[in-house]
Amino acid sequence: MVFLDGLSQGMNIVNGLHEFLGDDAEFVAASILSGATITDVRRPRPIEQLHQFSGRIFDVTAPRIAVLGTDGAIGKRTTATLLTQALNARGLRAVLVGTGQTTIIQGGRYGVALDALVPQYCTGEVENQVVAAFEGENPDVIIVEGQGALSHPAYLTSAYILRGSRPAAAIVQHAPRRVVLGDFPTIPMPTLASEIALIEAFSDVEVIGVTVNHEGMTGEEIGDAIDAIEQEFDLPATDPLTRAPEALVDMVLLAFPHLAARASLSSTPAVTSHDMQASVTL
């Protein structure tokens, strides 16, 4: 009822659900009367407009970095967004490619809601969005949002992301205090070591850093967790929400020295963000 009231007053609705409000006669009628719009973000384009994998990704010369994780709802999108912003603030032209509905709702120019697609087109749609970002922005680096976890029994999207974007590197988001998978309380969390090994075995990609989700941790415990990860894996680690964004940038520049040279030569930050329209989000 709230959303119908909003439509009647001319308020646009951006719907991230799998149920499409644009197919509901009552919602459609209300939007026509008021002139408001309904955008079903998860609605795939017609089959004839979707892409299968083509190999065009091999023409993309900008390095791709995938932000993956050990579980769903663990902070991959937040980390990917903060990393993209921090790289731009350091003078590098970074662009984010989203793979879920939330990034698209938040105004991302490049992205696809993978979990709403027929699997045959998932890899190709990721590839197509990365190619579009490369051709449209001429970026120094492309950040690709992860979904779920490669080890997760319910979500296959990480596999499509790795195959479609062909990243040169990955950053892994992990919640040290999470004991079981968020949506499956009977399934233990994978270890950080097992997830890194799986990612590197599945795809020709190197894990270049670890980001910490600090749920259930005190400030001191966050620092201890970061130190322990760096010592065990010999990788840089940080908490994107409680540590300075420079730590995220340094993680990337350490792995890609040529980007460090470009950043030091740049005098003004690059900007790739886009204005967002006010809307009601489901």
Side-chain angles (χ1 to χ4, degrees):
M1 201 52 156
V2 172
F3 303 111
L4 284 172
D5 287 343
L7 279 173
S8 68
Q9 296 178 50
M11 185 173 289
N12 300 334
I13 289 185
V14 178
N15 172 30
L17 302 176
H18 284 289
E19 295 79 13
F20 301 144
L21 298 185
D23 292 340
D24 186 293
E26 189 174 12
F27 278 87
V28 172
S31 68
I32 291 173
L33 287 173
S34 68
T37 61
I38 298 173
T39 303
D40 291 313
V41 174
R42 270 190 164 119
R43 186 191 295 276
R45 296 190 305 278
I47 288 292
E48 61 271 16
Q49 296 179 21
L50 296 178
H51 299 80
Q52 295 189 35
F53 185 80
S54 68
R56 294 175 65 209
I57 193 68
F58 299 113
D59 297 327
V60 176
T61 56
R64 282 85 66 201
I65 301 173
V67 180
L68 306 177
T70 51
D71 192 9
I74 205 167
K76 297 179 292 292
R77 176 183 52 80
T78 299
T79 293
T81 300
L82 293 175
L83 174 58
T84 304
Q85 293 172 348
L87 288 167
N88 277 289
R90 284 282 286 269
L92 288 164
R93 189 166 185 82
V95 61
L96 173 64
V97 173
T99 53
Q101 76 282 357
T102 304
T103 299
I104 298 171
I105 289 172
Q106 290 180 334
R109 174 173 289 184
Y110 305 99
V112 58
L114 279 180
D115 64 1
L117 290 179
V118 174
Q120 184 175 3
Y121 297 98
C122 286
T123 302
E125 282 295 297
V126 172
E127 177 191 44
N128 183 63
Q129 290 300 312
V130 173
V131 171
F134 176 65
E135 294 179 346
E137 304 287 343
N138 190 28
D140 295 309
V141 58
I142 298 172
I143 307 302
V144 184
E145 175 195 11
Q147 295 292 324
L150 189 59
S151 63
H152 202 293
Y155 310 128
L156 297 177
T157 38
S158 289
Y160 301 131
I161 290 164
L162 285 167
R163 289 289 188 250
S165 67
R166 306 288 297 192
I171 293 171
V172 179
Q173 180 98 1
H174 181 59
R177 289 298 174 87
R178 192 177 293 191
V179 178
V180 296
L181 294 179
D183 294 332
F184 297 88
T186 61
I187 303 179
M189 279 282 289
T191 65
L192 181 57
S194 68
E195 195 71 27
I196 290 174
L198 179 62
I199 290 167
E200 293 187 334
F202 180 80
S203 184
D204 186 19
V205 62
E206 178 184 1
V207 173
I208 62 169
V210 176
T211 48
V212 172
N213 176 321
H214 62 253
E215 61 187 27
M217 301 170 70
T218 66
E220 183 178 354
E221 289 169 340
I222 297 169
D224 291 343
I226 290 172
D227 291 342
I229 289 169
E230 290 186 333
Q231 182 174 2
E232 179 178 355
F233 296 96
D234 193 27
L235 290 171
T238 189
D239 176 358
L241 294 180
T242 66
R243 300 300 188 266
E246 286 75 20
L248 281 173
V249 176
D250 292 342
M251 188 181 291
V252 172
L253 300 186
L254 181 65
F256 298 96
H258 73 282
L259 293 179
R262 292 187 190 182
S264 64
L265 292 173
S266 300
S267 57
T268 57
V271 178
T272 59
S273 60
H274 304 285
D275 292 336
M276 296 169 56
Q277 240 182 329
S279 57
V280 174
T281 302
L282 296 184

